[in-house]
Amino acid sequence: MKKMIAAEKLPTLWERLSAKGELYLPVKDGPVVLFKQWAADQQVALDAATSAVSPKDIFFPREETYLEYKCSGQTMELAAVEAEQAITAFGLHPCDLKAIEMLDRVYLDQDPVDELYRKRRERTTVVALACNEPDPFCFCGVFGIDPGYAPGADVMAFRDPQAGDLILESLSPKGEQLFSAMGDLLSALKEEPFSYVPIKTADFNLDVDGLSERLKDRFEDPAWDQLYRSCLGCGVCTYVCPTCYCFDVEDYGHETAGLRFRCWDSCMYGQFTQMAGGHNPRPSRKERVRQRFLHKLQYYPEKYGEIACVGCGRCLRSCPVNLDIVQAIKALGGEKVEQR
């Protein structure tokens, strides 16, 4: 089913959806665009080609408290911290939704499943937004992602780049429920008022076919001796990446009360793999850089069948020394060779 909503009705839609639960949208935050919980004074940026940080923290928050404790004498009380509000994630581009599906495999296709992630995922209705124009750093087509369609969404949206109106297509029961919540804001479509123009993203001359298999024999490749040298170990690549999912678990409090939370962590940090006895299997930046790229390009594909990159371009834009996944792929033999 397809419906349309006019641009001037979108602020009313934001108010209506936020009244039913948490609403996350791409909004202007200084010089960048971020996915944040909607507030009336924010400038929604549905026209943005991408956000500076991926929207994965809608489903996998940067910090998440899930347990509180209280102690009295010899007695300890534990209480789970759980939210129950519905969540609407509005405006995710197809590459970001593909990344969420990769996180689903890690957190849901396991036994046992990650309950914190599962509950947020089940409470969330996803409205994907087709890309009207590619960011210069986008290369999702290399991985077979269509920037104009996200079949895993609950609702697929197409934006008129001139007027700002949206055509909305329901793809799931959650999508139908969202249509019901929009109610009188939607108009029936007899014919589509504008045409979506497919776009083509960059490919940076990459060829990733068979790359994962070829990397099995390149753990000690001399390329690693050069790749790591510029790395600062800042971790910004893992912070902005939509398919990174490492976390740490911490306790905070004192002898009578406290809480337990988890927060994002990074394989690029020196203490990420340090053990209690002091041993660290990845003591240098070389081992850590190698682990990051082999996980994306070999280990994840071995287990789940596809490279853990969606070509969003955030690491290209954010790395202060240009040590991004495109450079790694080319250094490891993933660059197209011209036939003469």
Side-chain angles (χ1 to χ4, degrees):
M1 178 188 298
K2 288 186 178 181
K3 299 276 190 176
M4 193 196 84
I5 182 167
E8 62 267 20
K9 294 183 179 180
L10 289 175
T12 304
L13 175 61
W14 310 147
E15 292 178 1
R16 188 172 297 182
L17 293 178
S18 64
K20 294 181 176 295
E22 301 173 24
L23 171 62
Y24 292 89
L25 290 159
V27 300
K28 289 281 188 179
D29 189 344
V32 300
V33 171
L34 298 174
F35 274 84
K36 301 178 71 174
Q37 194 166 345
W38 180 81
D41 60 346
Q42 291 173 333
Q43 182 182 349
V44 179
L46 294 182
D47 59 339
T50 190
S51 58
V53 182
S54 86
K56 70 180 178 184
D57 63 341
I58 299 172
F59 310 90
F60 172 42
R62 300 174 202 184
E63 304 93 19
E64 185 174 19
T65 298
Y66 61 93
L67 184 68
E68 295 178 344
Y69 69 85
K70 293 181 180 180
C71 298
S72 178
Q74 298 297 311
T75 302
M76 173 180 285
E77 297 180 7
L78 301 177
V81 179
E82 295 186 10
E84 298 181 354
Q85 276 192 316
I87 301 171
T88 303
F90 203 110
L92 278 69
H93 288 308
C95 64
D96 283 325
L97 188 54
K98 178 64 177 178
I100 296 303
E101 292 170 1
M102 291 183 179
L103 297 189
D104 287 349
R105 297 192 189 106
V106 174
Y107 287 126
L108 301 182
D109 296 348
Q110 308 291 336
D111 186 18
V113 303
D114 186 295
E115 288 296 326
L116 295 176
Y117 182 89
R118 181 188 67 79
K119 290 175 181 178
R120 290 190 69 86
R121 191 73 166 92
E122 290 182 352
R123 288 190 289 120
T124 303
T125 299
V126 177
V127 180
L129 180 63
C131 298
N132 283 102
E133 60 181 77
D135 185 271
F137 297 98
C138 293
F139 59 108
C140 63
V142 171
F143 304 103
I145 298 171
D146 181 355
Y149 203 73
D154 298 302
V155 174
M156 190 69 225
F158 305 87
R159 183 176 179 273
D160 182 344
Q162 278 75 46
D165 302 336
L166 297 179
I167 292 177
L168 304 171
E169 180 183 0
S170 174
L171 302 178
S172 75
K174 281 185 179 179
E176 293 296 328
Q177 293 175 7
L178 190 69
F179 273 23
S180 297
M182 295 179 182
D184 57 308
L185 299 178
L186 300 180
S187 303
L189 278 185
K190 295 181 180 178
E191 60 181 35
E192 297 191 5
F194 60 89
S195 297
Y196 174 74
V197 179
I199 66 170
K200 184 178 181 179
T201 61
D203 68 4
F204 296 118
N205 209 35
L206 298 180
D207 181 5
V208 298
D209 289 344
L211 178 63
S212 301
E213 185 67 25
R214 297 197 300 273
L215 288 178
K216 291 181 179 180
D217 299 322
R218 303 192 67 172
F219 188 81
E220 298 292 351
D221 195 283
W224 300 116
D225 293 327
Q226 299 302 318
L227 265 177
Y228 87 91
R229 293 186 181 276
S230 62
C231 179
L232 303 176
C234 67
V236 69
C237 53
T238 58
Y239 183 81
V240 301
C241 178
T243 66
C244 281
Y245 51 80
C246 292
F247 64 86
D248 192 13
V249 175
E250 299 275 354
D251 290 324
Y252 176 81
H254 47 77
E255 62 182 11
T256 60
L259 54 85
R260 175 167 291 180
F261 66 96
R262 72 176 180 185
C263 56
W264 290 359
D265 205 345
S266 173
C267 61
M268 302 307 295
Y269 296 157
Q271 294 182 325
F272 180 74
T273 52
Q274 186 162 340
M275 301 179 184
H279 175 64
N280 192 337
R282 298 182 201 138
S284 75
R285 284 177 293 145
K286 175 184 174 180
E287 285 87 2
R288 296 192 287 274
V289 167
R290 179 172 60 191
Q291 165 61 28
R292 170 168 168 74
F293 290 126
L294 284 183
H295 175 259
K296 299 288 187 188
L297 302 173
Q298 180 193 346
Y299 305 150
Y300 188 97
E302 285 178 344
K303 188 169 185 178
Y304 299 111
E306 58 186 338
I307 288 174
C309 177
V310 294
C312 69
R314 292 184 176 94
C315 62
L316 282 72
R317 181 184 291 279
S318 301
C319 180
V321 295
N322 298 319
L323 178 57
D324 52 66
I325 198 164
V326 168
Q327 304 306 317
I329 290 173
K330 288 184 175 182
L332 297 168
E335 188 169 12
K336 291 179 183 177
V337 177
E338 293 186 8
Q339 300 295 328
R340 296 185 178 182

